[in-house]
Amino acid sequence: MIDTSPLLIVDDEPEYLDEILEALAFEGVVAFSAPSGLAAVEALRARPDIHIVVTDIRMPDMDGIALVETARAEFGDRNLQFIVVTGHASRIDIDRAKAAGVRDCLPKPLVLDALHRAIRSLPV
């Protein structure tokens, strides 16, 4: 399976987070979750071993793109890689995400095989 640092999964839907974390744990992937962009920034502060963030684009307090921009500004010395997941993003949102340095955009519901492929394609 994937041999990487722990993942941070960010989404404002608790049931969705639980489902993804359970599926990843079943495959032996260490992952943490954050229910918001602000909580994700706190998690990144607390866990310097996290280098891959999978985030929803649309969240109420801080959208996924703002999370990417904030994390890049605060943790510029870390090799953070971002993958966004969305069920509602417009082409403008996806273009903004790519401009912010997001490596991949995946549709919801998230297919774990697609996530694994996206992670394997990240630069080391």
Side-chain angles (χ1 to χ4, degrees), residues 6 30 32 41-51 78 80:
V30 177
F32 299 95
V41 172
E42 290 301 318
L44 290 170
R45 286 181 186 133
R47 301 288 316 225
D49 57 332
I50 293 173
H51 295 283
R78 277 166 68 180
L80 288 173

Side-chain angles (χ1 to χ4, degrees), residues 6-122:
L7 302 178
L8 178 61
I9 311 294
V10 187
D11 200 291
D12 61 325
E13 297 177 42
E15 300 83 14
Y16 182 76
L17 276 178
D18 290 344
E19 198 175 299
I20 295 297
L21 290 174
E22 185 177 318
L24 290 170
F26 181 75
E27 295 185 3
V29 177
V30 177
F32 299 95
S33 67
S36 69
L38 294 174
V41 172
E42 290 301 318
L44 290 170
R45 286 181 186 133
R47 301 288 316 225
D49 57 332
I50 293 173
H51 295 283
I52 299 172
V53 179
V54 180
T55 183
D56 190 13
I57 286 184
R58 294 201 175 177
M59 295 183 290
D61 67 342
M62 173 189 286
D63 73 16
I65 300 164
L67 166 60
V68 171
E69 293 167 343
T70 299
R72 290 222 185 276
E74 183 168 338
F75 308 106
D77 58 334
R78 277 166 68 180
N79 182 25
L80 288 173
Q81 302 294 322
F82 293 89
I83 297 169
V84 295
V85 180
T86 185
H88 309 290
S90 66
R91 171 55 46 212
I92 292 170
D93 288 335
I94 292 170
D95 290 345
R96 280 182 53 226
K98 295 216 181 236
V102 167
R103 292 293 180 170
D104 211 339
C105 297
L106 303 175
K108 272 186 176 180
L110 182 61
V111 175
L112 287 180
D113 285 344
L115 177 60
H116 296 320
R117 279 191 303 277
I119 291 168
R120 282 192 295 271
S121 74
L122 294 173

